[in-house]
Amino acid sequence: MSEKKEPGLWEGFKAFLMRGNVVDLAVAVVIGAAFTNIVNSVVKGVINPLVGAFGTKDLDHYRSCLKSPCETNEAGDVIRGIPIMWGSVLSAVLSFVITAAVVYFLMVLPMAKYLAKQAARKAAKEGAQEVVELSELEVLKEIRDALVAQRGSGHSEP
């Protein structure tokens, strides 16, 4: 009797890394991080100043004071009080919404349409094959019936 040796730790890890979905996931994470940087730059460089144009400051500088008085030094560090940085939160929400919209409209929606077209083509192709199979079945039935009829008329009973 020979015992089956289980793969070692290194072989299992190597097999895990060589799966296609692990590599695809790694690529998606890297591209997602790069894309996030682009969206954050757009929000900080374009959206925040536009929102700030309607107010008096950049969006990241909007805040409310939970415990008065809120005082900051020249560097923007809080000296006294408890500020609520709602401008930074709004900036992060805008970044998320823009990222989600771009991913949905440029990646998810086109892929869904593509997959729907592929499914429709496959269904149409299978439907055509089914019609061909049905007609072949009918032809085979007719051949069988013709052979039975020939046998019946060609043989005389003893």
Side-chain angles (χ1 to χ4, degrees), residues 29-57:
V29 167
V30 170
I31 289 180
F35 182 70
T36 300
N37 287 336
I38 292 170
V39 171
N40 287 339
S41 296
V42 168
V43 169
K44 286 195 179 288
V46 177
I47 305 292
N48 286 355
L50 287 175
V51 172
F54 294 108
T56 57
K57 306 173 194 168

Side-chain angles (χ1 to χ4, degrees), residues 28-98:
V29 167
V30 170
I31 289 180
F35 182 70
T36 300
N37 287 336
I38 292 170
V39 171
N40 287 339
S41 296
V42 168
V43 169
K44 286 195 179 288
V46 177
I47 305 292
N48 286 355
L50 287 175
V51 172
F54 294 108
T56 57
K57 306 173 194 168
D58 189 13
L59 191 59
D60 285 335
H61 294 113
Y62 282 99
R63 64 180 102 197
S64 297
C65 195
L66 184 63
K67 184 176 179 185
S68 296
C70 283
E71 295 179 15
T72 57
N73 59 14
E74 295 83 29
D77 299 328
V78 177
I79 298 172
R80 282 199 296 171
I82 302 172
I84 296 177
M85 311 295 279
W86 61 269
S88 297
V89 173
L90 183 59
S91 177
V93 168
L94 286 172
S95 293
F96 172 77
V97 169
I98 291 170

Side-chain angles (χ1 to χ4, degrees), residues 136-146:
E136 287 177 3
L137 183 60
E138 290 173 4
V139 170
L140 289 173
K141 284 180 181 179
E142 289 176 8
I143 292 171
R144 181 201 62 202
D145 293 343

